[in-house]
């Protein structure tokens, strides 16, 4: 069981007040997305969860234990792949497990095959396309031993079709073990397709302004993207979000 609780977090950098009384919860096995205007503090929130920053006020609890200032408590996938150029793709994928003292090479190879990287185990990052690098970073995050996963706009740099493929791969793999996920995106359609709940942040200093419970059943199929109900929900969330742009 893995739950995350963020309680009345505040964070500022000198005169720049970023987060104000921000609270949220991600339940065990839940996929929660965060939408908000550019510069609203979404990445700052992830840095707080990951222990890179400390809040000025409030607490961050993982399974009931405070993780403020503690690195290595979560698995994290940033906007860019951040692969080490001197390591092979397989070695990059295994990095999270390696840092925790255990490697499962067979599992890594199997997951690489699932995301279309079969045959590239011994290649180096410069030999991969942008989409393939993102897939490698995604596998690395999924294989990390931490049970809570933070994804920070991981597909934002991809073209529309590659992005949809990555979303479907993410869902197919996530469906197997239902890790708890906090996902940051600027894309309303992506948030609706992936999530159980969507949280909308206000402008800075950001707080949770609105919560939407996504009504679509799982497993999700891409056909729902073209339904009238999906469009209605997209419009509803767009109207909420547009107040803070």
């Amino acid at each position: 069981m893995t739950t995350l609780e963020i309680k009345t977090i505040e964070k500022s950098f000198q005169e720049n007040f970023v987060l104000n009384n921000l609270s949220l919860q991600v339940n065990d096995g839940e996929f929660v997305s965060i939408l908000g205007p550019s510069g609203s503090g979404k990445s700052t929130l992830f840095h707080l969860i990951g222990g890179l920053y400390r809040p000025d006020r409030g607490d961050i609890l993982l399974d009931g234990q405070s993780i403020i200032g503690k690195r290595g408590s979560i698995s994290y996938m940033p906007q860019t792949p951040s692969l080490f150029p001197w390591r092979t793709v397989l070695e990059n994928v295994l990095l999270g497990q390696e840092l925790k003292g255990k490697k499962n090479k067979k599992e890594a190879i199997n997951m690489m095959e699932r995301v279309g990287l079969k045959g590239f185990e011994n290649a180096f990052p410069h030999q991969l396309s942008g989409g393939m690098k993102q897939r490698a970073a995604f596998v690395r995050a999924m294989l990390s031993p931490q049970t809570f996963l933070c994804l920070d706009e991981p597909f934002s740099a991809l073209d529309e079709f590659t992005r949809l493929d990555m979303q479907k791969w993410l869902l197919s793999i996530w469906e197997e073990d239902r890790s708890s996920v906090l996902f940051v995106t600027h894309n309303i359609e992506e948030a609706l397709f992936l999530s159980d709940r969507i949280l909308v942040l206000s402008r800075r200093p950001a707080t949770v302004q609105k919560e939407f419970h996504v009504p679509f059943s799982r497993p999700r199929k891409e056909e729902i993207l073209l339904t009238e109900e999906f469009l209605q929900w997209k419009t509803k969330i767009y109207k909420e979000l547009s107040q803070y742009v």
Side-chain angles (χ1 to χ4, degrees), residues 2-177:
T2 304
T3 60
L4 178 76
E5 294 178 85
I6 296 176
K7 297 186 174 182
T8 59
I9 286 292
E10 292 184 1
K11 181 63 180 176
S12 60
F13 298 95
Q14 298 178 341
E15 301 300 318
N16 187 7
F17 196 13
V18 181
L19 302 176
N20 178 35
N21 198 35
L22 188 148
S23 297
L24 63 86
Q25 181 166 328
V26 180
N27 300 314
D28 183 47
E30 191 176 30
F31 198 120
V32 177
S33 286
I34 295 178
L35 287 169
S38 295
S40 61
K42 299 184 293 296
S43 293
T44 297
L45 176 61
F46 271 15
H47 289 152
L48 288 165
I49 297 170
L52 299 177
Y53 299 156
R54 298 181 70 96
D56 302 326
R57 176 176 174 269
D59 205 355
I60 302 171
L61 305 175
L62 187 66
D63 295 334
Q65 302 295 315
S66 179
I67 56 170
I68 287 178
K70 296 181 180 179
R71 302 185 184 187
S73 299
I74 63 163
S75 178
Y76 174 63
M77 182 177 172
Q79 298 176 29
T80 56
S82 301
L83 302 176
F84 290 121
W86 59 87
R87 295 177 68 112
T88 66
V89 177
L90 179 59
E91 289 169 344
N92 269 288
V93 161
L94 286 168
L95 183 60
Q97 292 187 346
E98 184 179 320
L99 292 173
K100 289 292 184 179
K102 64 170 189 175
K103 293 192 294 184
N104 189 331
K105 187 175 178 180
K106 183 177 180 181
E107 182 185 17
I109 291 173
N110 287 340
M111 191 171 287
M112 287 180 65
E113 181 175 351
R114 288 190 58 187
V115 300
L117 290 175
K118 183 178 181 180
F120 290 91
E121 296 85 358
N122 296 316
F124 289 90
H126 74 272
Q127 297 173 293
L128 305 184
S129 68
M132 293 168 75
K133 291 176 183 176
Q134 285 296 92
R135 287 179 235 171
F138 166 64
V139 172
R140 179 181 59 194
M142 295 298 292
L143 286 174
S144 292
Q146 297 89 345
T147 54
F148 192 92
L149 183 59
C150 285
L151 302 174
D152 188 0
E153 298 188 68
F155 310 140
S156 61
L158 303 178
D159 65 79
E160 185 174 351
F161 294 104
T162 304
R163 184 177 187 139
L164 180 58
D165 280 341
M166 287 300 298
Q167 291 167 3
K168 292 188 290 184
W169 279 322
L170 170 56
L171 285 180
S172 68
I173 293 171
W174 175 80
E175 287 282 355
E176 293 183 1
D177 61 8

Side-chain angles (χ1 to χ4, degrees), residues 195-209:
S195 310
D196 297 306
R197 284 188 294 129
I198 297 172
L199 307 177
V200 176
L201 298 190
S202 66
R203 300 186 193 92
R204 285 191 179 187
T207 190
V208 176
Q209 196 68 34

